[in-house]
Amino acid sequence: MSNEDRYPTRELYPQNLPTWSTTAAPSSSQHDMSSEASNAPKALSYRQLLQQRLQKYQFTATFHAEMTGPVRTPLWSGSFWLGSFKIGQSFCHAKKGDAKEEAAKEALNWLNTYGYH
C-alpha cells in the first residue's frame, strides 16, 4: 500500500486546517498551543503606539539620542520632539532602545494631557 493510499492528499482537507510536514499528526495539545499562540494579540510597544497616534493627527516627530559615559558601558538619553516642542524624554538607560521606549511613553502621556487621544 503506498503513502497516497494510506494518507489523504492535501486537497481533501479544508483550507483553514494546518498542514504538517511529518506523516504523523501532532497531538491535540501541540495543535492547541500553536493555534493559541498565533491567535493571541501582540502587545504594541510605546514607540508603535506613538507612531499610530502621530499618524492619526498627521504629526511628524523626531527622536534625538545622546550617549554619555565610556564606550564599554554607555548611558543613553533620548527625547521626542514635535516641531520645536520636547514632548517626551528619558535619561540614563543602558540600551538605546530602552531610552527610545521611555521617551515614547512620555510623549504619549504629553499627547494625552493635551487632548490628542
Side-chain angles (χ1 to χ4, degrees), residues 72-111:
R72 68 182 181 278
T73 56
L75 292 176
W76 289 93
S77 298
S79 57
F80 273 101
W81 293 77
L82 191 59
S84 62
F85 296 103
K86 186 188 300 184
I87 63 171
Q89 62 185 359
S90 64
F91 301 102
C92 301
H93 289 277
K95 296 178 183 175
K96 187 177 182 181
D98 292 345
K100 280 185 173 183
E101 194 69 15
E102 182 68 25
K105 180 180 177 182
E106 293 295 320
L108 281 168
N109 287 336
W110 186 91
L111 289 169

Side-chain angles (χ1 to χ4, degrees), residues 1-9 12:
M1 181 179 245
S2 70
N3 279 344
E4 286 92 58
D5 296 335
R6 290 193 322 209
Y7 301 106
T9 61
L12 295 178

Side-chain angles (χ1 to χ4, degrees), residues 48-60:
Q48 291 170 320
L49 292 171
L50 177 61
Q51 183 65 31
Q52 287 178 354
R53 185 82 52 88
L54 293 172
Q55 286 176 353
K56 179 180 178 181
Y57 292 102
Q58 298 178 351
F59 292 153
T60 302

